[in-house]
Amino acid sequence: MCSHWVVLAFCCLGQLCADQSLKPRLAAPQIATNNPTLTTVSLEKPFCMFDSSLRPNKSYIIYLYAMKELASAISSLVTDNSSKPLDSMFQQTVGGQLGPYKVALFNVPSCVSPPNIADAGDINKVSDVLKQYLFRVGDDGTCLYDPNFLAVCNPPLAPDTVYRFKYVLVDSTEGIMKDQSLWSDPIKTRRVKLPLKIDTWPGRRSGGMIVITSILSVLVFLLLAGLLASVSSAVIRSEDSSAETRQVSQTIQQNEPRPQLSSE
């Protein structure tokens, strides 16, 4: 009986790990620094996520959906009754507030030859690595206002807002969903800082450190002022002493008797 529970526990643990691998995840911090930002979230593409669902001689594509955390769980479905992926857009869902909207579509990333993260350190390869490895949600700031834009719109996200994301594998020929990931864990964009709260010092300092720095600055100023005053006083005394010495020398020369010339 005990062994049965042990096996069950391991199975549950394995299922939990598998579930974690089937969720969209934030891109590695070595690749995407400052992530999320105020209006963007960089996600790792679904490498090897749908391999078991891929069939030979078939063409597939990945759809990426996003929705706000506050959206109703009932409205979190991304397919209709015929298993076709929804075409709901940003405007129709009020930016994901009413339900999922389609952010982008791209080719299934290769599980056989994924990008080498170490190549991100090479300035000649970093651009290709970024394109292969991650997708940036909220990267298009013009599509909402361009009347001629016909592709899927990926406009900036709202600051200080929690989102969830989902990958969907779609058969390109039939237009039907073949597999999907779980919704991602909640991911929150950054908050806008008020101007008065922005730290303009070169590095964070507490109020006590600022007071100490100010006092030390004043002391250094006073020391410099005292040093300059001492030097100036010494120079003035030296000049006065030199002038007095010259005056005494002239007085002595004037008081000395001049020798008289004798006449023959």
Side-chain angles (χ1 to χ4, degrees), residues 10-215:
F10 274 107
C11 290
C12 292
L13 181 59
Q15 182 63 39
L16 178 61
C17 294
D19 287 349
Q20 290 295 330
S21 67
L22 293 177
K23 294 179 181 179
R25 299 181 300 181
L26 286 173
Q30 301 93 324
I31 299 295
T33 57
N34 190 31
N35 180 38
T37 67
L38 290 173
T39 58
T40 65
V41 172
S42 294
L43 298 174
E44 179 182 307
K45 286 186 176 180
F47 288 94
C48 310
M49 185 178 290
F50 301 119
D51 276 15
S52 60
S53 300
L54 300 178
R55 298 290 180 266
N57 302 321
K58 285 284 188 176
S59 178
Y60 299 94
I61 197 167
I62 298 291
Y63 283 14
L64 172 60
Y65 287 89
M67 70 174 181
K68 291 184 178 179
E69 171 71 2
L70 297 178
S72 171
I74 299 177
S75 62
S76 63
L77 298 177
V78 294
T79 58
D80 58 19
N81 294 332
S82 59
S83 296
K84 290 187 176 181
L86 299 178
D87 284 327
S88 51
M89 297 299 176
F90 183 90
Q91 300 95 322
Q92 296 170 294
T93 62
V94 193
Q97 184 171 339
L98 302 180
Y101 70 93
K102 187 160 59 175
V103 176
L105 50 91
F106 49 83
N107 294 328
V108 180
S110 174
C111 183
V112 178
S113 57
N116 186 0
I117 302 301
D119 289 341
D122 188 340
I123 191 172
N124 297 318
K125 299 180 179 180
V126 62
S127 179
D128 290 336
V129 171
L130 292 178
K131 289 179 181 178
Q132 294 177 46
Y133 173 73
L134 62 80
F135 184 86
R136 193 184 303 275
V137 183
D139 201 33
D140 192 340
T142 61
C143 59
L144 284 179
Y145 312 104
D146 184 357
N148 299 318
F149 188 85
L150 301 177
V152 179
C153 188
N154 178 26
L157 303 174
D160 194 25
T161 304
V162 179
Y163 288 88
R164 288 182 182 267
F165 305 93
K166 177 190 280 285
Y167 286 124
V168 175
L169 179 68
V170 178
D171 185 314
S172 301
T173 305
E174 300 177 7
I176 295 176
M177 182 196 72
K178 292 299 182 180
D179 203 349
Q180 62 181 318
S181 72
L182 302 174
W183 282 103
S184 71
D185 294 329
I187 299 175
K188 188 175 184 179
T189 53
R190 295 198 176 186
R191 179 184 303 178
V192 178
K193 282 190 176 182
L194 297 175
L196 295 178
K197 294 185 178 181
I198 296 177
D199 186 3
T200 58
W201 287 78
R204 294 185 178 181
R205 290 185 171 90
S206 63
M209 292 179 66
I210 294 175
V211 172
I212 292 173
T213 303
S214 302
I215 292 174

